[in-house]
Amino acid sequence: MTTALKSIRSLAPLMDRILVQRVRAEAKTAGGIFLPESSVKELNEAKVLAVGPGGLDRDGKRIAPSVGPGDKVLIPQYGGSPVKVGDEEYHLFRDHELLAKINE
């Protein structure tokens, strides 16, 4: 999905959606060797940029999201809704689609 947004900060997720950006894999090894872009795998790790207010249960009560902005999470290899702003690519996932929260 290509958007006409000038900044990702102007995008506010709705309901239980979470806006994330994938963490880029290192293109340099510990020994200082630079790897070609084709050999660098896409990581399943992402940083949460924005969080919606949460979904509603059957009684109409708001269920708070399980993560917050700044958290690191594991995301599925495929899925989510891609959002492209300029050259950067972001993804929108539902809260229940996130695999895990990384506690560091």
Side-chain angles (χ1 to χ4, degrees):
M1 172 191 307
T2 304
T3 63
L5 296 173
K6 294 183 183 184
S7 169
I8 196 64
R9 297 199 188 277
S10 61
L11 186 68
L14 300 175
M15 300 299 286
D16 64 339
R17 289 182 176 78
I18 313 289
L19 179 68
V20 300
Q21 183 177 26
R22 282 187 190 268
V23 174
R24 294 177 196 242
E26 287 290 325
K28 184 177 174 183
T29 65
I33 299 171
F34 286 95
L35 300 172
E37 194 172 308
S38 60
S39 69
V40 178
K41 291 185 178 178
E42 203 171 68
L43 296 177
N44 287 2
E45 188 177 321
K47 182 177 179 185
V48 176
L49 301 177
V51 176
L56 299 174
D57 65 8
R58 292 181 188 214
D59 299 327
K61 295 180 184 172
R62 181 110 15 222
I63 301 171
S66 56
V67 295
D71 289 343
K72 285 191 175 182
V73 294
L74 285 179
I75 56 175
Q77 185 72 28
Y78 302 102
S81 300
V83 178
K84 194 164 185 164
V85 178
D87 293 337
E88 296 290 326
E89 187 166 331
Y90 305 91
H91 295 284
L92 278 169
F93 286 95
R94 289 189 174 270
D95 190 28
H96 70 273
E97 293 175 333
L98 298 178
L99 303 177
K101 179 179 174 182
I102 301 172
N103 295 322
E104 295 182 306

